[in-house]
């Protein structure tokens, strides 16, 4: 995913994180933990070929939802 500039150049979309190292750095995890979460599908991480990727916005929304659930013990308050 790229952002196109007026002069024909393009920049990578800053919302995308490419590779386990970038995802780990964003989340404060080790690369091994990122691979573990990707394998178990416990975080919104995708794969293109052999390369992992994630969107910062999706990770933020996922973590915000988890924080909301943990404050109620995993139960929805009515």
């Amino acid at each position: 995913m790229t952002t196109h500039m007026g002069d024909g150049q393009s920049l990578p979309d800053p919302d995308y994180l490419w590779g386990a190292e970038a995802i780990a750095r964003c989340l404060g995890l080790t690369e091994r933990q990122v691979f573990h979460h990707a394998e178990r599908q416990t975080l919104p991480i995708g794969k293109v070929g052999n390369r992992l990727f994630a969107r910062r916005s999706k990770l933020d929304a996922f973590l915000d939802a988890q924080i909301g659930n943990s404050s109620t013990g995993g139960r929805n308050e009515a």
Side-chain angles (χ1 to χ4, degrees), residues 24-39:
R25 208 173 29 247
C26 177
L27 296 174
L29 300 173
T30 65
E31 287 183 52
R32 182 68 205 125
Q33 288 171 315
V34 170
F35 284 116
H36 176 81
H37 285 290
E39 183 179 305

Side-chain angles (χ1 to χ4, degrees), residues 14-15 17 26-27 43-44 54-68:
D15 190 42
L17 299 166
C26 177
L27 296 174
L43 285 174
R55 293 182 67 182
R56 291 177 197 268
S57 57
K58 296 286 185 184
L59 290 171
D60 287 343
F62 176 82
L63 294 174
D64 286 345
Q66 295 303 306
I67 291 168

Side-chain angles (χ1 to χ4, degrees), residues 13-24:
D13 186 332
D15 190 42
Y16 282 86
L17 299 166
W18 289 97
E21 182 181 356
I23 297 167

Side-chain angles (χ1 to χ4, degrees), residues 3-4 10 58-59 67 73 75 78:
T3 302
H4 296 282
S10 59
K58 296 286 185 184
L59 290 171
I67 291 168
R75 297 179 308 274

